[in-house]
Amino acid sequence: MQPTTPLVLCVLLSQVLLLTSAEDLDCTPGFQQKVFHIDQPAEFIEDQAILNLIFSDCKGNDKLHYEVSSPYFKVNNDGSLVALRNITAVGKTLFVHARTPHAEDMAELVIVGGKDIQGSLQDIFKFARTSPVPRQKRSIVVSPILIPENQRQPFPKDVGRVVDNDRPEGSKFRLTGKGVDQEPKGIFRINENTGSVSVTRNLDRETIATYQLFVETIDVNGKTLEGPVPLEVIVIDQNDNRPIFREGPYIGHVMEGSPTGTTVMRMTAFDADDPATDNALLRYNIRQQTPDKPSPNMFYIDPEKGDIVTVVSPALLDRETLENPKYELIIEAQDMAGQDVGLTGTATATIIIDDKNDHSPKFTKKEFQATVEEGAVGVIVNLTVEDKDDPATGAWRAAYTIINGNPGQSFEIHTNLQTNEGMLSVVKPLDYEISAFHTLLIKVENEDPLVPDVSYGPSSTATVHITVLDVNEGPVFYPDPMMVTRQENISVGSVLLTVNATDPDSLQRQTIRYSVYKDPAGWLNINPINGTVDTTAVLDRESPFVHDSVYTALFLAIDSGNPPATGTGTLLITLEDVNDNAPFIYPTVAEVCDDAKNLSVVILGASDKDLHPNTDPFKFEIHKQTVPDKVWKISKINNTHALVSLLQNLNKANYHLPIMVTDSGKPPMTNITDLRIQVCSCKNSKVDCNAAGAPHFSAAAVLLLSLFSLASL
């Protein structure tokens, strides 16, 4: 046997659980030699025997079957291990699994000097390169049981045996643990007499990888004689799970012009098989690229990490020249380290070539023409540009600026967000008589800055020539509004003013005629030739057409153009007050009880339509009395109110008391108003004024209303 080196392929022995009586110890089921060492050859030659394996189940090896951990090798019926093809590297270890209906075992082939393809399977088979548990005299001997997952019918299958050399006669074996009498129950069982352990159904390593069982011997009464001894069942992984991509959709972005080798994204697949074996060792590759231009190999994927990187020159990653800036890659993950026998899974990776601002916008023309009527506002021309960058980005969206020719800020330019055109507008009306032509210099830039090696050139500026068209403009009043101040009640025919309107069309010889447009009270007239405004009626400051002492009228100035143009002017007449309105009193009706103890009758208020000083203070007087003197009395309360009271009680009847009120104007104006007073019968809280033929208002109620009126002034 050759010496062991650090690069060793460990053969894991799946030792059969043996239950053997003392007389059967001459035949031990399994491989006669469980570990082999060979030097790594320059090449394993197809069909050339590497070594011979000897396996016996002590029952004639009926239906003996071998499995090798590498798909490049097989074991012939005579036990010779051969390569299926010429191959140089297979790793550090090969495992050979042999089984019959009565026994199974595993042998390990250590390849000295072999290169590690995947970590040693020692992590899977914890009993690797260990001998069975040393048997002491009169003790239970157990070895770990190795069972490949996904075994086929028939079941149950014997998978091992337990040995007790000195088991008392009549004793039995008992097996317990999860998989026997604990959930999941009934997977394993033991022949209580022979110690043969069997499995009742196929196993799935991805569900349960190991089972911890316990073996003991018991007497006829069920009492434990020896044990329990732990028995480990290890499920050997089979490559029965395809790699799957669980994290999709997979979308990556890479900037156009990126250097070769730029990482775009990472693809990661999952394999449910044992990660310590090649069954879950994945390798990645690109199966298909769509589209396949300008190169069928635009990208590369790291076979081990799954990183997708660019492999073409930056010049080929030009979004503006690509047929489609979006690529779809079919990514394949294959287990068994990418060997042909490995299972595969695929996913689609979408890679988008992002735009950068490597193209400046350019005007489609160097000069643009526009015409606009004087006095008009709005868009007059749309400036068009071309930009090869992505329309969905700020690298394409244009921003326009007027850099010359707009000192009066009469023009503005805005971007049409749908077309990217520059909409040039007049925002302040232009005057043909001042300037018939305007020239603007416009520049265009992108919202996003250009990349460092690109700049704005001459094509990023354009000239706009604007022609202003002359139109017949209406005459303009000056000033507007026109304001005059006059006393109300001036004589009819009085001249108020002469209006002045001029025609802006100074280059045209036109005459102007005037007319009244709006004169709500019908007080005014205008001379159509010279614009003199005079009165046709008395001006009344107290008219409902006058607001805050101001009367408003509108006039038209019409030129002689074809068609004629019209201008409108406003005249504001401020009317000064004169004392032309006499004051009046309120209320004019009152009541009082014939037996009232309080002889106050009513509080009178006075009002005047004129303005101060032609209003209060008012003077209240009793003009004359139809009853004997000293019956009525009026007393001043303040400048606008007075109290009417009785000097004695009167009989039930209607009385008319003339009240004279005089304002403070110069000269003053006086008004005499009859105050009708009803003297009513007031008994048992009932007021009776029927005999007087008057409404039923008590003196107290009238007095209360008068006091409220006084308080509100």
Side-chain angles (χ1 to χ4, degrees):
M1 184 179 298
Q2 297 180 0
T4 303
T5 68
L7 298 176
V8 176
L9 252 164
C10 299
V11 176
L12 293 178
L13 307 176
S14 179
Q15 294 183 342
V16 192
L17 295 175
L18 305 175
L19 175 61
T20 316
S21 60
E23 60 272 16
D24 295 331
L25 292 178
D26 292 340
C27 179
T28 301
F31 284 104
Q32 290 187 6
Q33 181 177 339
K34 301 184 183 296
V35 180
F36 300 85
H37 293 78
I38 66 170
D39 291 327
Q40 167 72 49
E43 185 176 36
F44 290 99
I45 305 302
E46 181 178 356
D47 291 334
Q48 180 177 316
I50 301 170
L51 55 84
N52 289 320
L53 300 167
I54 300 175
F55 174 87
S56 174
D57 66 354
C58 300
K59 293 184 179 294
N61 284 351
D62 183 38
K63 298 182 180 179
L64 174 61
H65 176 72
Y66 292 100
E67 293 177 342
V68 184
S69 62
S70 172
Y72 304 113
F73 296 87
K74 72 174 182 178
V75 178
N76 293 324
N77 293 333
D78 61 0
S80 60
L81 175 68
V82 298
L84 296 176
R85 68 178 188 182
N86 294 347
I87 187 171
T88 56
V90 296
K92 294 180 179 180
T93 308
L94 292 177
F95 299 94
V96 179
H97 179 232
R99 73 169 180 269
T100 70
H102 306 288
E104 65 178 303
D105 199 0
M106 187 170 290
E108 172 187 4
L109 174 61
V110 179
I111 301 176
V112 181
K115 294 183 179 180
D116 192 7
I117 295 179
Q118 172 68 9
S120 171
L121 293 183
Q122 287 181 349
D123 293 336
I124 309 170
F125 308 120
K126 298 178 181 178
F127 58 92
R129 296 205 294 174
T130 61
S131 59
V133 176
R135 292 187 296 166
Q136 298 177 356
K137 190 175 182 180
R138 302 182 61 83
S139 66
I140 300 173
V141 178
V142 296
S143 296
I145 299 177
L146 280 74
I147 306 175
E149 64 174 335
N150 304 322
Q151 292 192 36
R152 297 179 181 178
Q153 294 280 1
F155 289 103
K157 289 180 182 292
D158 288 341
V159 293
R161 279 187 292 178
V162 177
V163 177
D164 189 345
N165 295 330
D166 299 313
R167 179 164 61 92
E169 186 175 352
S171 65
K172 299 179 180 180
F173 290 102
R174 180 165 64 188
L175 186 66
T176 59
K178 291 184 178 180
V180 182
D181 56 349
Q182 301 176 31
E183 294 294 339
K185 295 180 179 179
I187 296 178
F188 303 99
R189 62 191 185 189
I190 190 169
N191 186 306
E192 61 184 15
N193 296 315
T194 67
S196 176
V197 178
S198 60
V199 62
T200 62
R201 56 187 167 213
N202 64 346
L203 305 180
D204 183 2
R205 191 206 66 85
E206 286 70 46
T207 302
I208 299 178
T210 61
Y211 296 85
Q212 298 295 328
L213 308 181
F214 297 91
V215 180
E216 58 186 341
T217 57
I218 59 176
D219 61 17
V220 293
N221 297 319
K223 181 180 178 181
T224 301
L225 299 176
E226 193 173 343
V229 176
L231 169 61
E232 184 177 30
V233 178
I234 300 173
V235 183
I236 302 173
D237 186 42
Q238 303 292 317
N239 191 19
D240 58 345
N241 289 277
R242 293 182 177 275
I244 58 174
F245 291 88
R246 302 190 296 186
E247 301 174 0
Y250 298 90
I251 300 176
H253 294 262
V254 62
M255 188 68 68
E256 64 172 329
S258 294
T260 302
T262 299
T263 299
V264 180
M265 60 191 298
R266 171 170 287 187
M267 301 289 290
T268 302
F270 169 78
D271 195 311
D273 289 320
D274 191 340
T277 69
D278 285 357
N279 294 339
L281 180 60
L282 304 183
R283 293 294 181 262
Y284 301 91
N285 69 90
I286 299 174
R287 300 290 295 177
Q288 181 179 330
Q289 170 191 302
T290 305
D292 59 358
K293 293 181 175 57
S295 168
N297 300 302
M298 299 285 288
F299 306 95
Y300 165 80
I301 188 168
D302 186 302
E304 295 184 3
K305 297 179 180 179
D307 290 340
I308 299 177
V309 299
T310 62
V311 293
V312 295
S313 67
L316 290 182
L317 276 181
D318 185 358
R319 200 198 67 85
E320 288 74 35
T321 61
L322 294 176
E323 177 182 321
N324 188 338
K326 181 171 72 173
Y327 287 86
E328 289 190 348
L329 308 180
I330 304 300
I331 305 299
E332 179 184 77
Q334 187 171 28
D335 58 22
M336 296 300 295
Q339 299 179 35
D340 292 343
V341 295
L343 302 178
T344 61
T346 60
T348 299
T350 300
I351 299 177
I352 299 172
I353 312 301
D354 290 333
D355 186 37
K356 64 181 179 180
N357 198 8
D358 55 351
H359 294 85
S360 62
K362 298 179 180 180
F363 284 102
T364 58
K365 295 189 294 186
K366 191 62 180 174
E367 295 184 349
F368 294 85
Q369 306 292 329
T371 58
V372 59
E373 292 184 347
E374 63 174 330
V377 294
V379 178
I380 59 174
V381 66
N382 289 313
L383 309 184
T384 53
V385 295
E386 293 178 344
D387 194 318
K388 295 180 180 179
D389 290 313
D390 185 356
T393 67
W396 176 82
R397 290 190 292 270
Y400 298 87
T401 307
I402 302 173
I403 59 177
N404 196 13
N406 191 29
Q409 304 302 307
S410 299
F411 302 93
E412 288 183 357
I413 188 166
H414 301 280
T415 304
N416 185 315
L417 299 180
Q418 281 71 44
T419 65
N420 216 31
E421 296 176 345
M423 301 182 295
L424 181 62
S425 303
V426 176
V427 294
K428 294 182 180 178
L430 304 176
D431 191 339
Y432 172 84
E433 284 70 32
I434 295 177
S435 178
F437 300 97
H438 296 267
T439 301
L440 304 179
L441 186 61
I442 311 291
K443 74 173 181 179
V444 62
E445 297 178 337
N446 289 131
E447 290 183 3
D448 291 348
L450 295 173
V451 296
D453 56 341
V454 178
S455 60
Y456 295 103
S459 297
S460 295
T461 59
T463 302
V464 182
H465 300 286
I466 302 164
T467 301
V468 182
L469 303 178
D470 188 24
V471 297
N472 186 23
E473 301 172 86
V476 178
F477 284 87
Y478 183 82
D480 189 27
M482 301 160 282
M483 294 180 286
V484 297
T485 301
R486 294 290 187 274
Q487 279 193 344
E488 63 175 332
N489 300 334
I490 61 175
S491 58
V492 176
S494 298
V495 175
L496 300 181
L497 81 162
T498 298
V499 301
N500 178 38
T502 58
D503 193 337
D505 300 308
S506 57
L507 302 181
Q508 303 178 26
R509 291 181 173 273
Q510 296 186 137
T511 59
I512 297 176
R513 294 180 62 84
Y514 300 95
S515 65
V516 177
Y517 179 43
K518 287 186 179 180
D519 178 18
W523 291 343
L524 306 176
N525 175 65
I526 188 168
N527 186 301
I529 304 301
N530 60 23
T532 299
V533 179
D534 56 14
T535 62
T536 60
V538 175
L539 307 183
D540 183 9
R541 194 199 65 83
E542 290 75 35
S543 167
F545 298 107
V546 177
H547 302 284
D548 295 328
S549 301
V550 176
Y551 180 71
T552 302
L554 301 179
F555 297 94
L556 297 180
I558 307 169
D559 65 20
S560 57
N562 185 20
T566 301
T568 303
T570 302
L571 173 61
L572 302 178
I573 305 173
T574 301
L575 296 176
E576 296 178 341
D577 186 43
V578 297
N579 195 18
D580 57 350
N581 290 278
F584 57 91
I585 65 168
Y586 58 89
T588 59
V589 177
E591 288 182 1
V592 66
C593 291
D594 56 0
D595 59 352
K597 295 180 180 180
N598 182 359
L599 297 180
S600 297
V601 178
V602 66
I603 294 176
L604 298 179
S607 183
D608 195 318
K609 293 182 179 181
D610 292 318
L611 298 177
H612 190 78
N614 296 320
T615 56
D616 61 272
F618 298 112
K619 180 180 179 182
F620 296 89
E621 299 175 276
I622 298 176
H623 183 54
K624 60 181 180 179
Q625 299 190 49
T626 59
V627 295
D629 293 337
K630 305 300 183 181
V631 174
W632 303 98
K633 179 183 177 182
I634 189 165
S635 305
K636 178 180 178 180
I637 298 176
N638 55 28
N639 289 343
T640 57
H641 288 77
L643 174 64
V644 176
S645 57
L646 282 169
L647 297 177
Q648 64 185 43
N649 291 108
L650 295 178
N651 294 329
K652 180 178 178 182
N654 282 343
Y655 297 88
H656 293 273
L657 182 64
I659 303 297
M660 181 172 67
V661 59
T662 304
D663 64 24
S664 297
K666 294 182 180 180
M669 296 195 71
T670 299
N671 181 30
I672 299 174
T673 303
D674 276 348
L675 173 63
R676 188 174 68 172
I677 301 175
Q678 299 170 299
V679 179
C680 306
S681 174
C682 303
K683 294 181 180 180
N684 299 325
S685 300
K686 294 183 179 180
V687 179
D688 182 10
C689 298
N690 288 337
H696 292 195
F697 295 103
S698 68
V702 173
L703 181 61
L704 181 61
L705 288 172
S706 300
L707 287 171
F708 178 77
S709 175
L710 175 62
S712 63
L713 293 176

